[in-house]
Amino acid sequence: MPGKNVAERPQLAVGDLAYDTRKGAVGVVMDTGAVVDGRYSLRPPGGGIEWNAERADVRPATVADQLRPALAEANARSRGGQ
């Protein structure tokens, strides 16, 4: 079976940058949920509303994950968008 199961995934700590593969978004780990429900609570790096993500859908954020939103914004501006 391809991919890693949850037990093999790296553990993330509060303050780490993570990538939610289901949402397609980078977030800062605000809570690991180890005691409550096993989910991570993530918040956008610049602040905003937290969301919960299943552990199986979260991995450490790569540099590419972190740069993707800024690149998309720059591309939109270059095309005359906001």
Side-chain angles (χ1 to χ4, degrees):
M1 177 180 270
K4 293 183 174 183
N5 69 34
V6 176
E8 294 174 347
R9 287 186 178 251
Q11 293 297 312
L12 296 168
V14 172
D16 288 348
L17 280 177
Y19 185 74
D20 181 347
T21 59
R22 183 173 298 254
K23 187 173 179 175
V26 173
V28 177
V29 176
M30 302 306 293
D31 185 10
T32 62
V35 176
V36 180
D37 61 6
R39 294 193 225 180
Y40 288 110
S41 290
L42 305 173
R43 183 183 319 193
I49 299 173
E50 289 185 20
W51 75 92
N52 292 321
E54 298 290 333
R55 285 186 179 268
D57 297 330
V58 177
R59 61 171 170 73
T62 64
V63 173
D65 295 331
Q66 296 172 51
L67 294 177
R68 193 172 292 118
L71 180 59
E73 183 179 324
N75 286 339
R77 279 196 315 267
S78 72
R79 290 188 298 268
Q82 297 285 349

